[in-house]
Amino acid sequence: MFELLGITPQGLVAQLLVGLINGSFYAILSLGLAIIFGLLNIINFSHGAQYTMGAFIAWIGLTQVGQWLGFPELSINYWFALILVPLVMAGFGLILERTMLRRLYHLDHLYGLLLTFGLALIIEGMFRHWYGISGESYPAPELLQGAIPLESIGIILPKYRLWVVVSSLVVCFSTWYVIERTKLGAYLRAGTENPKLLQAFGINVPLMISLAYAYGVGLAGFAGVLAAPIFQVNPLMGSNLIIVVFAVVVIGGMGSIMGSILTGLALGLVEGLTKVFYPEASGVVIFVIMAIVLLIRPAGLFGREK
Amino acid sequence: MNPKLKLLYGILVLIALLLPFQDFIYLVFAMKVLCFALFACAFNLLLGFTGLLSFGHAAFFGTSAYITAYLCKESGLSPEVGIILGVLGSGALGYLIGSLAIRRQGIYFAMVTLALSQMVYFLAVQLPFTGGEDGIQGVPRGMLFGLIDLKDDVAMYYFVLSVFLLGFALIMRTVHSPFGQVLKAIRENEPRAISLGYDVDRFKLISFVISAALSGLAGSMKSLVFQLATLTDVHWHMSGEVVLMTLLGGMGTILGPVVGAGIVVGLQNYLANIGSWSTIATGFIFVICVLAFRRGVVGEIAHLFKNKH
């Protein structure tokens, strides 16, 4: 069958793996968007820029920070970055929410989108100003360099890519578990349904909202660190990705956490498959699917019609 | 119309007519402002008067720019025919994108238009006749109606000015017509408009198509003025810029988008020397507008006058 289509099974598996990796990024970013949207009712347009920022901070930590501080031998390695960067980004998100986004909750949702769009331009512009658009490379950590040969099907699996898929799946599903299966998650869901009532029960809803935003931004930062060794760290990496993620969100429907994870992964795979069978269309296939889904189910695959 | 306002419009038109007779303002810059002012006015028809935030208007601006540029350069059509076909093209695209997008509301609407316009961007990168990264360059301005040579900047300026005034008048006419009143009703309270028996989706779609076609008109003019159509015209940054112009000038006001376009194009011209700072500055203006003065320049002034009386 493969010979008939002119594609080797190795090629197919390789593209599916690439698709799965892209899908993991779509999933983790649209999950962050879904959480932020759920509680704040804001489409975080700066999500892509925050992902870029995560990747840049990791890169700066690895290569620059020692010189800045006067200890050239000091550098923050990948594993520290994986923990530190999401925390830094979450702190950044907390400040943004407290100083800016908070002022917009009583207004039309569109203002949130416009504000975060402005923030995205500022972040993107600053990295472009400092580092140009050529892109910096970030080596994968030693532990994850190299590949695992799978002789039975004749392909080699790069370790780092496998790690990206596994770790993002773990993060996505544990987030899903916390939100859907724990008491904290129950509060969060109640906060999206009826914040006033929840406040009457003595729960600090504004704090919860701040933390939810911080968590979402932290997720974007985490995705940025994961992406750094795969893609070039450059100022535009996020703005190109975020539009695809928006399409993923529209296809999946904003309401559901599981929906954003599954849609993200599935669309990554679809994109990978398109690259095998009809490479020219791989850039637009997600948007085509979006158009079809909108025609059939305007609320998205997992969304509820309001 | 209020006689004072009439006087103001009269003075503005007079200034615009006299512009070629001075040395302070470069004519090509004035034409650029006019093109973007028309674009922003067309966008404002949708955002300010119908309440729909489209984040993909670059698709219409760019499509029309590409069509006009291609037809005038490769097929040797005259500029007026090139423009008309460009406008028809972007109007048809507006019908397609609009009928899909109005199925969702609010932020979803914005995201859908953004994603669909990104599809147009991909097409502009890949289709054989768009010139890929280079775009279509060296577009001839041609002879208008076979009579007026547009190579001359003054002739081109008067042509752009008349097209702008025509577009502006059409938008004013639309806004003040019964149709425009229905659009405002939809903006203010959509469920009520539905319960009054209006076919809201149809009104939204018509407004979307008019806005798309006029955005296309602006794009066509721009491709003739600068004699090129490039990926910048269809990139989503362009969609963001037109939102900024409208927001900065004052959405839902008639003159706001014109003022906003003037400020943004002016800023870009002066900030062009400092490279990436222009993106940063644009971002800051966005943030300040949203946080501090949501009415925009014209909106704030109008508000000031209203409070006085």
Side-chain angles (χ1 to χ4, degrees), chain A residues 33 37 41-43 45 99-101 103-104 106-107 109-115 117-122 124-126 128-130 236 239-240 242-244 246-247 249-250 253-255 279-281 283-284 287-288 290-300 304-305, chain B residues 43 47 51-53 55 97 99-101 103-123 126 235-241 243-244 247 251 274-295:
Chain A
L33 279 179
F37 179 75
N41 249 321
I42 279 178
I43 278 291
F45 211 111
T99 54
M100 296 182 179
L101 291 174
R103 295 156 187 259
L104 302 176
H106 63 283
L107 295 169
H109 307 325
L110 302 175
Y111 287 104
L113 184 137
L114 295 178
L115 180 88
F117 174 70
L119 290 173
L121 287 181
I122 296 173
E124 200 182 292
M126 284 191 170
R128 195 147 74 178
H129 179 69
W130 287 326
L236 301 175
S239 68
N240 296 331
I242 192 67
I243 306 202
V244 179
F246 279 171
V249 163
V250 172
M254 259 312 210
E280 292 80 10
V284 282
F287 301 113
V288 174
M290 185 188 77
I292 296 170
V293 168
L294 274 174
L295 280 173
I296 301 166
R297 272 184 71 96
R304 278 167 301 171
E305 193 75 64
Chain B
F43 176 79
L47 175 63
L52 295 173
L53 173 63
F55 228 101
I97 292 186
S99 43
L100 268 175
R103 303 172 134 250
R104 304 303 317 266
Q105 288 180 335
I107 330 185
Y108 286 100
F109 179 85
M111 293 200 306
V112 171
T113 47
L114 175 61
L116 287 173
S117 83
Q118 201 59 12
M119 206 161 140
V120 176
Y121 178 80
F122 278 120
L123 290 179
Q126 296 204 330
H235 196 263
W236 64 268
H237 271 192
M238 182 64 86
S239 304
E241 246 159 52
V243 182
L244 178 65
L247 185 68
M251 59 173 101
I274 49 174
S276 43
W277 281 109
S278 78
T279 316
I280 302 174
T282 314
F284 269 112
I285 298 173
F286 240 111
V287 170
I288 292 166
C289 272
V290 174
L291 286 179
F293 73 123
R294 260 164 242 124
R295 288 195 194 94

